[in-house]
Amino acid sequence: MADDQRRDLEELLASRLWPAVLVPIGALAALVGAGIWLAPAFPFVPVTLLLATVLVAWWQRGDAVLADHTGLLVRHRGRVTRRYRWEEIREAGLTRPGFGQIALAVYPDGGPWDVPGPNSAVLVGRIWSLRKPNQETRDRVNALLRSRGVHVVDSPHPPFGA
């Protein structure tokens, strides 16, 4: 029975190591090499930021947002938990909540002052990805949401400065 449940899981979003770890490691190596050559002016801040990027990407490497016939699930560090059932979701859409992250913004049913609720989203499954999701991924997620009766929101959280 557990195998049947795993077969009908669909992966909506997943953290990938490439390029989330390999590109910052390459930049980190270049900065350390330049810092050794320019010893007095070692670039501590960029090296620290790149090292933090690599550590966060490594920490979130197996995270994913999954869907089945019942609702949304989140895999975080190997543990899968149920987040929302399809009947509880009013609207949803992909968003970029911060640097290097993609999440599904879910507006659940509820009253006007409920948090989260129809007027405020909850971010389900922050996934590590330096790039925006490609059009194929967006179309696949939107099609799945629509097939489950969820209204799709194009850009729940506009980027900073927009």
Side-chain angles (χ1 to χ4, degrees), residues 36-94:
I36 291 171
W37 184 60
L38 305 168
F42 188 78
F44 287 106
V45 173
V47 166
T48 303
L49 290 174
L50 285 169
L51 187 58
T53 300
V54 169
L55 290 175
V56 169
W58 183 259
W59 180 263
Q60 295 181 342
R61 70 187 176 275
D63 293 359
V65 176
L66 309 166
D68 64 2
H69 64 281
T70 308
L72 293 174
L73 297 108
V74 174
R75 182 177 63 216
H76 179 62
R77 297 180 61 208
R79 185 171 162 225
V80 177
T81 56
R82 168 92 41 211
R83 288 304 304 259
Y84 284 96
R85 295 183 179 277
W86 295 119
E87 310 84 55
E88 299 172 335
I89 302 172
R90 176 179 278 176
E91 297 177 333
L94 291 175

Short mmCIF file of all heavy atoms in Angstrom, two decimals, residues 36-94:
data_model
loop_
_atom_site.label_atom_id
_atom_site.label_comp_id
_atom_site.label_asym_id
_atom_site.label_seq_id
_atom_site.Cartn_x
_atom_site.Cartn_y
_atom_site.Cartn_z
N ILE A 36 44.07 35.18 -2.09
CA ILE A 36 45.43 34.76 -1.74
C ILE A 36 46.45 35.58 -2.52
O ILE A 36 47.48 35.99 -1.98
CB ILE A 36 45.61 33.24 -2.01
CG1 ILE A 36 44.77 32.46 -1.00
CG2 ILE A 36 47.07 32.83 -1.96
CD1 ILE A 36 44.68 30.98 -1.29
N TRP A 37 46.12 35.88 -3.77
CA TRP A 37 47.02 36.68 -4.59
C TRP A 37 47.04 38.13 -4.09
O TRP A 37 48.08 38.76 -4.07
CB TRP A 37 46.55 36.61 -6.04
CG TRP A 37 47.45 37.32 -6.99
CD1 TRP A 37 48.78 37.08 -7.24
CD2 TRP A 37 47.08 38.39 -7.84
NE1 TRP A 37 49.25 37.93 -8.19
CE2 TRP A 37 48.21 38.75 -8.59
CE3 TRP A 37 45.90 39.08 -8.06
CZ2 TRP A 37 48.21 39.78 -9.51
CZ3 TRP A 37 45.90 40.08 -9.00
CH2 TRP A 37 47.04 40.43 -9.71
N LEU A 38 45.88 38.66 -3.68
CA LEU A 38 45.77 40.02 -3.16
C LEU A 38 45.64 39.98 -1.64
O LEU A 38 44.70 40.52 -1.08
CB LEU A 38 44.53 40.71 -3.74
CG LEU A 38 44.41 40.75 -5.26
CD1 LEU A 38 43.02 41.19 -5.67
CD2 LEU A 38 45.45 41.71 -5.82
N ALA A 39 46.58 39.36 -0.95
CA ALA A 39 46.48 39.05 0.47
C ALA A 39 45.94 40.16 1.37
O ALA A 39 45.07 39.91 2.19
CB ALA A 39 47.82 38.56 0.98
N PRO A 40 46.38 41.40 1.28
CA PRO A 40 45.86 42.42 2.22
C PRO A 40 44.38 42.76 1.99
O PRO A 40 43.69 43.13 2.91
CB PRO A 40 46.72 43.65 1.98
CG PRO A 40 47.81 43.25 1.05
CD PRO A 40 47.46 41.93 0.45
N ALA A 41 43.92 42.61 0.77
CA ALA A 41 42.53 42.99 0.46
C ALA A 41 41.67 41.75 0.23
O ALA A 41 40.92 41.67 -0.73
CB ALA A 41 42.52 43.89 -0.77
N PHE A 42 41.77 40.78 1.13
CA PHE A 42 41.00 39.54 0.98
C PHE A 42 39.50 39.84 1.02
O PHE A 42 39.03 40.54 1.92
CB PHE A 42 41.38 38.56 2.09
CG PHE A 42 40.77 37.20 1.89
CD1 PHE A 42 41.33 36.31 0.99
CD2 PHE A 42 39.64 36.82 2.58
CE1 PHE A 42 40.78 35.06 0.79
CE2 PHE A 42 39.08 35.57 2.39
CZ PHE A 42 39.65 34.69 1.50
N PRO A 43 38.72 39.32 0.06
CA PRO A 43 37.29 39.62 -0.02
C PRO A 43 36.46 38.80 0.97
O PRO A 43 35.80 37.83 0.61
CB PRO A 43 36.95 39.28 -1.47
CG PRO A 43 37.93 38.21 -1.82
CD PRO A 43 39.19 38.52 -1.06
N PHE A 44 36.49 39.19 2.25
CA PHE A 44 35.80 38.42 3.29
C PHE A 44 34.29 38.38 3.11
O PHE A 44 33.68 37.33 3.29
CB PHE A 44 36.12 38.99 4.68
CG PHE A 44 37.52 38.69 5.13
CD1 PHE A 44 38.49 39.68 5.14
CD2 PHE A 44 37.87 37.41 5.52
CE1 PHE A 44 39.77 39.41 5.55
CE2 PHE A 44 39.15 37.12 5.92
CZ PHE A 44 40.11 38.12 5.95
N VAL A 45 33.67 39.50 2.78
CA VAL A 45 32.20 39.54 2.67
C VAL A 45 31.70 38.66 1.52
O VAL A 45 30.81 37.82 1.74
CB VAL A 45 31.70 40.99 2.54
CG1 VAL A 45 30.21 41.03 2.26
CG2 VAL A 45 32.02 41.77 3.80
N PRO A 46 32.21 38.77 0.29
CA PRO A 46 31.73 37.88 -0.76
C PRO A 46 32.00 36.41 -0.47
O PRO A 46 31.17 35.56 -0.76
CB PRO A 46 32.48 38.33 -2.02
CG PRO A 46 32.97 39.70 -1.73
CD PRO A 46 33.14 39.77 -0.25
N VAL A 47 33.14 36.10 0.12
CA VAL A 47 33.46 34.71 0.45
C VAL A 47 32.46 34.18 1.48
O VAL A 47 31.95 33.06 1.37
CB VAL A 47 34.92 34.57 0.96
CG1 VAL A 47 35.16 33.22 1.61
CG2 VAL A 47 35.88 34.79 -0.19
N THR A 48 32.14 34.99 2.48
CA THR A 48 31.17 34.58 3.50
C THR A 48 29.79 34.37 2.89
O THR A 48 29.11 33.39 3.20
CB THR A 48 31.11 35.64 4.61
OG1 THR A 48 32.42 35.83 5.15
CG2 THR A 48 30.17 35.21 5.72
N LEU A 49 29.35 35.27 2.01
CA LEU A 49 28.05 35.13 1.37
C LEU A 49 27.98 33.89 0.48
O LEU A 49 26.98 33.16 0.49
CB LEU A 49 27.70 36.38 0.56
CG LEU A 49 27.39 37.64 1.38
CD1 LEU A 49 27.21 38.83 0.46
CD2 LEU A 49 26.17 37.42 2.24
N LEU A 50 29.04 33.64 -0.27
CA LEU A 50 29.06 32.45 -1.13
C LEU A 50 29.09 31.17 -0.29
O LEU A 50 28.42 30.19 -0.61
CB LEU A 50 30.25 32.49 -2.08
CG LEU A 50 30.10 33.45 -3.25
CD1 LEU A 50 31.43 33.63 -3.96
CD2 LEU A 50 29.05 32.96 -4.20
N LEU A 51 29.83 31.18 0.80
CA LEU A 51 29.87 30.02 1.68
C LEU A 51 28.50 29.77 2.31
O LEU A 51 28.04 28.63 2.38
CB LEU A 51 30.93 30.21 2.76
CG LEU A 51 31.21 29.01 3.66
CD1 LEU A 51 31.64 27.82 2.82
CD2 LEU A 51 32.26 29.36 4.68
N ALA A 52 27.81 30.84 2.71
CA ALA A 52 26.45 30.69 3.26
C ALA A 52 25.49 30.15 2.20
O ALA A 52 24.63 29.31 2.50
CB ALA A 52 25.96 32.04 3.78
N THR A 53 25.63 30.60 0.96
CA THR A 53 24.79 30.11 -0.14
C THR A 53 25.00 28.61 -0.34
O THR A 53 24.04 27.86 -0.49
CB THR A 53 25.12 30.87 -1.45
OG1 THR A 53 24.88 32.25 -1.25
CG2 THR A 53 24.30 30.36 -2.61
N VAL A 54 26.23 28.18 -0.33
CA VAL A 54 26.54 26.76 -0.51
C VAL A 54 25.96 25.94 0.65
O VAL A 54 25.35 24.89 0.44
CB VAL A 54 28.06 26.54 -0.63
CG1 VAL A 54 28.42 25.07 -0.54
CG2 VAL A 54 28.58 27.14 -1.92
N LEU A 55 26.10 26.43 1.88
CA LEU A 55 25.60 25.69 3.04
C LEU A 55 24.07 25.58 3.03
O LEU A 55 23.52 24.51 3.31
CB LEU A 55 26.08 26.35 4.33
CG LEU A 55 27.58 26.23 4.61
CD1 LEU A 55 27.95 27.02 5.85
CD2 LEU A 55 27.98 24.78 4.75
N VAL A 56 23.37 26.66 2.69
CA VAL A 56 21.91 26.61 2.63
C VAL A 56 21.45 25.68 1.51
O VAL A 56 20.52 24.89 1.70
CB VAL A 56 21.32 28.03 2.44
CG1 VAL A 56 19.84 27.97 2.10
CG2 VAL A 56 21.52 28.85 3.69
N ALA A 57 22.08 25.76 0.37
CA ALA A 57 21.72 24.87 -0.74
C ALA A 57 21.95 23.41 -0.37
O ALA A 57 21.14 22.54 -0.68
CB ALA A 57 22.51 25.24 -1.99
N TRP A 58 23.05 23.13 0.30
CA TRP A 58 23.33 21.76 0.72
C TRP A 58 22.31 21.30 1.76
O TRP A 58 21.83 20.18 1.72
CB TRP A 58 24.74 21.66 1.28
CG TRP A 58 25.11 20.27 1.66
CD1 TRP A 58 25.11 19.73 2.90
CD2 TRP A 58 25.49 19.22 0.77
NE1 TRP A 58 25.49 18.42 2.85
CE2 TRP A 58 25.73 18.08 1.55
CE3 TRP A 58 25.66 19.14 -0.61
CZ2 TRP A 58 26.13 16.88 0.99
CZ3 TRP A 58 26.07 17.95 -1.15
CH2 TRP A 58 26.29 16.83 -0.36
N TRP A 59 21.94 22.17 2.67
CA TRP A 59 20.98 21.84 3.72
C TRP A 59 19.61 21.51 3.14
O TRP A 59 18.92 20.63 3.62
CB TRP A 59 20.88 23.03 4.67
CG TRP A 59 19.93 22.84 5.80
CD1 TRP A 59 18.64 23.27 5.86
CD2 TRP A 59 20.17 22.17 7.02
NE1 TRP A 59 18.07 22.92 7.05
CE2 TRP A 59 19.00 22.22 7.79
CE3 TRP A 59 21.27 21.51 7.56
CZ2 TRP A 59 18.90 21.66 9.05
CZ3 TRP A 59 21.16 20.97 8.82
CH2 TRP A 59 19.98 21.04 9.54
N GLN A 60 19.20 22.22 2.09
CA GLN A 60 17.87 22.04 1.50
C GLN A 60 17.89 21.19 0.24
O GLN A 60 16.94 21.22 -0.54
CB GLN A 60 17.26 23.41 1.19
CG GLN A 60 16.98 24.23 2.41
CD GLN A 60 16.35 25.56 2.08
OE1 GLN A 60 16.41 26.02 0.94
NE2 GLN A 60 15.74 26.18 3.05
N ARG A 61 18.91 20.38 0.05
CA ARG A 61 19.10 19.68 -1.21
C ARG A 61 18.01 18.67 -1.55
O ARG A 61 17.77 18.41 -2.69
CB ARG A 61 20.46 19.01 -1.24
CG ARG A 61 20.59 17.83 -0.31
CD ARG A 61 22.01 17.31 -0.25
NE ARG A 61 22.15 16.25 0.71
CZ ARG A 61 22.36 16.42 1.99
NH1 ARG A 61 22.45 17.64 2.49
NH2 ARG A 61 22.48 15.38 2.81
N GLY A 62 17.33 18.08 -0.60
CA GLY A 62 16.33 17.07 -0.91
C GLY A 62 14.90 17.55 -0.75
O GLY A 62 13.97 16.76 -0.85
N ASP A 63 14.71 18.84 -0.50
CA ASP A 63 13.37 19.36 -0.26
C ASP A 63 12.54 19.37 -1.54
O ASP A 63 13.08 19.56 -2.63
CB ASP A 63 13.44 20.78 0.30
CG ASP A 63 14.04 20.81 1.70
OD1 ASP A 63 14.39 19.75 2.22
OD2 ASP A 63 14.15 21.92 2.25
N ALA A 64 11.22 19.17 -1.39
CA ALA A 64 10.34 19.15 -2.55
C ALA A 64 8.91 19.43 -2.13
O ALA A 64 8.53 19.21 -0.98
CB ALA A 64 10.41 17.79 -3.25
N VAL A 65 8.13 19.94 -3.08
CA VAL A 65 6.68 20.08 -2.92
C VAL A 65 6.07 18.99 -3.79
O VAL A 65 6.35 18.90 -4.98
CB VAL A 65 6.19 21.47 -3.37
CG1 VAL A 65 4.67 21.55 -3.29
CG2 VAL A 65 6.81 22.56 -2.53
N LEU A 66 5.24 18.15 -3.17
CA LEU A 66 4.63 17.02 -3.85
C LEU A 66 3.12 17.18 -3.83
O LEU A 66 2.57 17.91 -3.00
CB LEU A 66 5.02 15.72 -3.14
CG LEU A 66 6.51 15.50 -2.88
CD1 LEU A 66 6.73 14.39 -1.89
CD2 LEU A 66 7.22 15.22 -4.17
N ALA A 67 2.46 16.49 -4.74
CA ALA A 67 1.00 16.52 -4.78
C ALA A 67 0.49 15.11 -5.02
O ALA A 67 1.12 14.31 -5.71
CB ALA A 67 0.51 17.43 -5.91
N ASP A 68 -0.65 14.80 -4.43
CA ASP A 68 -1.33 13.55 -4.70
C ASP A 68 -2.82 13.85 -4.86
O ASP A 68 -3.20 15.01 -4.96
CB ASP A 68 -1.05 12.50 -3.62
CG ASP A 68 -1.58 12.87 -2.24
OD1 ASP A 68 -2.21 13.94 -2.11
OD2 ASP A 68 -1.38 12.09 -1.31
N HIS A 69 -3.64 12.82 -4.90
CA HIS A 69 -5.07 13.03 -5.13
C HIS A 69 -5.74 13.73 -3.95
O HIS A 69 -6.82 14.29 -4.09
CB HIS A 69 -5.76 11.69 -5.41
CG HIS A 69 -5.70 10.75 -4.25
ND1 HIS A 69 -4.57 10.01 -3.97
CD2 HIS A 69 -6.62 10.46 -3.31
CE1 HIS A 69 -4.81 9.28 -2.88
NE2 HIS A 69 -6.04 9.53 -2.46
N THR A 70 -5.11 13.76 -2.77
CA THR A 70 -5.70 14.37 -1.57
C THR A 70 -5.29 15.82 -1.38
O THR A 70 -6.10 16.64 -0.96
CB THR A 70 -5.29 13.56 -0.32
OG1 THR A 70 -5.59 12.20 -0.54
CG2 THR A 70 -6.02 14.05 0.90
N GLY A 71 -4.04 16.17 -1.68
CA GLY A 71 -3.58 17.54 -1.47
C GLY A 71 -2.09 17.69 -1.65
O GLY A 71 -1.44 16.91 -2.34
N LEU A 72 -1.55 18.72 -1.00
CA LEU A 72 -0.13 19.05 -1.10
C LEU A 72 0.65 18.42 0.04
O LEU A 72 0.18 18.38 1.19
CB LEU A 72 0.06 20.57 -1.03
CG LEU A 72 -0.47 21.38 -2.19
CD1 LEU A 72 -0.35 22.87 -1.89
CD2 LEU A 72 0.26 21.03 -3.46
N LEU A 73 1.84 17.95 -0.27
CA LEU A 73 2.75 17.40 0.72
C LEU A 73 4.09 18.12 0.56
O LEU A 73 4.42 18.61 -0.53
CB LEU A 73 2.97 15.91 0.50
CG LEU A 73 1.73 15.05 0.65
CD1 LEU A 73 1.29 14.56 -0.71
CD2 LEU A 73 2.02 13.90 1.56
N VAL A 74 4.86 18.17 1.63
CA VAL A 74 6.18 18.78 1.60
C VAL A 74 7.19 17.77 2.11
O VAL A 74 6.98 17.14 3.15
CB VAL A 74 6.22 20.05 2.48
CG1 VAL A 74 7.62 20.61 2.57
CG2 VAL A 74 5.28 21.11 1.96
N ARG A 75 8.28 17.60 1.33
CA ARG A 75 9.38 16.76 1.78
C ARG A 75 10.50 17.68 2.24
O ARG A 75 10.99 18.50 1.48
CB ARG A 75 9.87 15.86 0.64
CG ARG A 75 11.00 14.92 1.09
CD ARG A 75 11.44 13.99 -0.02
NE ARG A 75 11.99 14.76 -1.12
CZ ARG A 75 11.83 14.44 -2.40
NH1 ARG A 75 11.14 13.38 -2.74
NH2 ARG A 75 12.37 15.18 -3.34
N HIS A 76 10.83 17.57 3.52
CA HIS A 76 11.89 18.40 4.09
C HIS A 76 12.85 17.48 4.84
O HIS A 76 12.45 16.82 5.79
CB HIS A 76 11.32 19.46 5.02
CG HIS A 76 12.35 20.32 5.67
ND1 HIS A 76 13.19 21.14 4.94
CD2 HIS A 76 12.70 20.50 6.96
CE1 HIS A 76 13.99 21.78 5.77
NE2 HIS A 76 13.71 21.40 7.00
N ARG A 77 14.09 17.40 4.37
CA ARG A 77 15.13 16.58 4.95
C ARG A 77 14.70 15.12 5.09
O ARG A 77 14.90 14.49 6.11
CB ARG A 77 15.57 17.17 6.28
CG ARG A 77 16.17 18.55 6.11
CD ARG A 77 16.62 19.17 7.37
NE ARG A 77 17.66 18.35 8.00
CZ ARG A 77 17.86 18.33 9.30
NH1 ARG A 77 17.13 19.04 10.10
NH2 ARG A 77 18.81 17.58 9.79
N GLY A 78 14.02 14.62 4.04
CA GLY A 78 13.65 13.22 3.98
C GLY A 78 12.32 12.87 4.62
O GLY A 78 11.86 11.74 4.51
N ARG A 79 11.69 13.81 5.27
CA ARG A 79 10.41 13.55 5.95
C ARG A 79 9.29 14.21 5.16
O ARG A 79 9.34 15.40 4.87
CB ARG A 79 10.48 14.14 7.35
CG ARG A 79 9.28 13.84 8.18
CD ARG A 79 9.53 14.26 9.62
NE ARG A 79 8.24 14.34 10.26
CZ ARG A 79 7.86 15.32 11.03
NH1 ARG A 79 8.69 16.32 11.29
NH2 ARG A 79 6.68 15.33 11.57
N VAL A 80 8.27 13.43 4.82
CA VAL A 80 7.14 13.94 4.04
C VAL A 80 5.97 14.21 4.98
O VAL A 80 5.59 13.34 5.77
CB VAL A 80 6.71 12.92 2.95
CG1 VAL A 80 5.50 13.42 2.19
CG2 VAL A 80 7.87 12.67 1.99
N THR A 81 5.42 15.42 4.90
CA THR A 81 4.28 15.80 5.74
C THR A 81 3.18 16.39 4.87
O THR A 81 3.44 17.05 3.87
CB THR A 81 4.67 16.84 6.81
OG1 THR A 81 5.26 17.97 6.18
CG2 THR A 81 5.64 16.25 7.81
N ARG A 82 1.94 16.17 5.28
CA ARG A 82 0.78 16.73 4.57
C ARG A 82 0.62 18.17 4.99
O ARG A 82 0.66 18.50 6.15
CB ARG A 82 -0.47 15.92 4.95
CG ARG A 82 -1.76 16.53 4.53
CD ARG A 82 -2.32 16.13 3.22
NE ARG A 82 -2.21 14.73 2.91
CZ ARG A 82 -2.07 14.31 1.66
NH1 ARG A 82 -2.03 15.15 0.66
NH2 ARG A 82 -1.98 13.03 1.40
N ARG A 83 0.45 19.08 4.02
CA ARG A 83 0.26 20.48 4.33
C ARG A 83 -1.19 20.91 4.18
O ARG A 83 -1.80 21.38 5.12
CB ARG A 83 1.16 21.35 3.44
CG ARG A 83 2.61 21.26 3.79
CD ARG A 83 2.90 21.61 5.25
NE ARG A 83 2.42 22.91 5.63
CZ ARG A 83 3.14 24.00 5.74
NH1 ARG A 83 4.41 23.94 5.52
NH2 ARG A 83 2.60 25.13 6.09
N TYR A 84 -1.75 20.82 2.97
CA TYR A 84 -3.12 21.26 2.72
C TYR A 84 -3.83 20.26 1.83
O TYR A 84 -3.25 19.72 0.90
CB TYR A 84 -3.15 22.64 2.04
CG TYR A 84 -2.84 23.75 2.99
CD1 TYR A 84 -1.56 24.26 3.10
CD2 TYR A 84 -3.83 24.29 3.79
CE1 TYR A 84 -1.26 25.27 3.99
CE2 TYR A 84 -3.55 25.31 4.69
CZ TYR A 84 -2.26 25.79 4.78
OH TYR A 84 -1.99 26.78 5.67
N ARG A 85 -5.12 20.05 2.10
CA ARG A 85 -5.97 19.25 1.22
C ARG A 85 -6.51 20.19 0.14
O ARG A 85 -6.61 21.39 0.34
CB ARG A 85 -7.12 18.64 2.02
CG ARG A 85 -6.64 17.65 3.04
CD ARG A 85 -7.81 17.00 3.76
NE ARG A 85 -7.33 16.04 4.72
CZ ARG A 85 -7.00 14.79 4.44
NH1 ARG A 85 -7.11 14.35 3.21
NH2 ARG A 85 -6.56 13.97 5.36
N TRP A 86 -6.85 19.61 -1.02
CA TRP A 86 -7.32 20.43 -2.14
C TRP A 86 -8.55 21.24 -1.77
O TRP A 86 -8.71 22.37 -2.21
CB TRP A 86 -7.60 19.57 -3.37
CG TRP A 86 -6.36 18.91 -3.92
CD1 TRP A 86 -6.13 17.58 -4.04
CD2 TRP A 86 -5.18 19.55 -4.41
NE1 TRP A 86 -4.88 17.36 -4.56
CE2 TRP A 86 -4.28 18.55 -4.81
CE3 TRP A 86 -4.79 20.88 -4.55
CZ2 TRP A 86 -3.03 18.83 -5.33
CZ3 TRP A 86 -3.54 21.16 -5.09
CH2 TRP A 86 -2.68 20.14 -5.46
N GLU A 87 -9.44 20.69 -0.94
CA GLU A 87 -10.67 21.40 -0.56
C GLU A 87 -10.38 22.63 0.28
O GLU A 87 -11.20 23.54 0.36
CB GLU A 87 -11.61 20.50 0.27
CG GLU A 87 -11.92 19.15 -0.28
CD GLU A 87 -10.86 18.10 0.07
OE1 GLU A 87 -10.53 17.89 1.25
OE2 GLU A 87 -10.38 17.48 -0.89
N GLU A 88 -9.23 22.67 0.95
CA GLU A 88 -8.88 23.78 1.84
C GLU A 88 -8.22 24.94 1.10
O GLU A 88 -8.04 26.01 1.68
CB GLU A 88 -7.92 23.30 2.93
CG GLU A 88 -8.48 22.22 3.82
CD GLU A 88 -7.44 21.64 4.75
OE1 GLU A 88 -6.23 21.69 4.43
OE2 GLU A 88 -7.85 21.13 5.80
N ILE A 89 -7.85 24.74 -0.15
CA ILE A 89 -7.09 25.76 -0.89
C ILE A 89 -8.04 26.54 -1.80
O ILE A 89 -8.73 25.97 -2.63
CB ILE A 89 -5.98 25.11 -1.73
CG1 ILE A 89 -5.04 24.32 -0.83
CG2 ILE A 89 -5.21 26.18 -2.50
CD1 ILE A 89 -4.02 23.50 -1.58
N ARG A 90 -8.05 27.86 -1.65
CA ARG A 90 -8.86 28.73 -2.50
C ARG A 90 -8.05 29.17 -3.73
O ARG A 90 -8.53 29.08 -4.85
CB ARG A 90 -9.30 29.95 -1.70
CG ARG A 90 -10.08 30.94 -2.55
CD ARG A 90 -10.52 32.12 -1.75
NE ARG A 90 -11.74 31.71 -1.05
CZ ARG A 90 -12.36 32.47 -0.19
NH1 ARG A 90 -11.88 33.65 0.12
NH2 ARG A 90 -13.46 32.06 0.39
N GLU A 91 -6.84 29.67 -3.50
CA GLU A 91 -5.96 30.13 -4.58
C GLU A 91 -4.54 29.70 -4.27
O GLU A 91 -4.18 29.53 -3.11
CB GLU A 91 -5.99 31.66 -4.70
CG GLU A 91 -7.31 32.25 -5.06
CD GLU A 91 -7.26 33.78 -5.07
OE1 GLU A 91 -6.42 34.37 -4.36
OE2 GLU A 91 -8.05 34.37 -5.79
N ALA A 92 -3.72 29.60 -5.31
CA ALA A 92 -2.30 29.26 -5.12
C ALA A 92 -1.53 29.73 -6.34
O ALA A 92 -2.09 29.92 -7.42
CB ALA A 92 -2.13 27.76 -4.92
N GLY A 93 -0.24 29.91 -6.17
CA GLY A 93 0.63 30.29 -7.28
C GLY A 93 2.09 30.24 -6.86
O GLY A 93 2.41 30.31 -5.67
N LEU A 94 2.98 30.11 -7.83
CA LEU A 94 4.41 30.11 -7.57
C LEU A 94 4.89 31.51 -7.23
O LEU A 94 4.43 32.49 -7.81
CB LEU A 94 5.18 29.59 -8.78
CG LEU A 94 5.00 28.11 -9.10
CD1 LEU A 94 5.72 27.77 -10.39
CD2 LEU A 94 5.50 27.25 -7.96
#
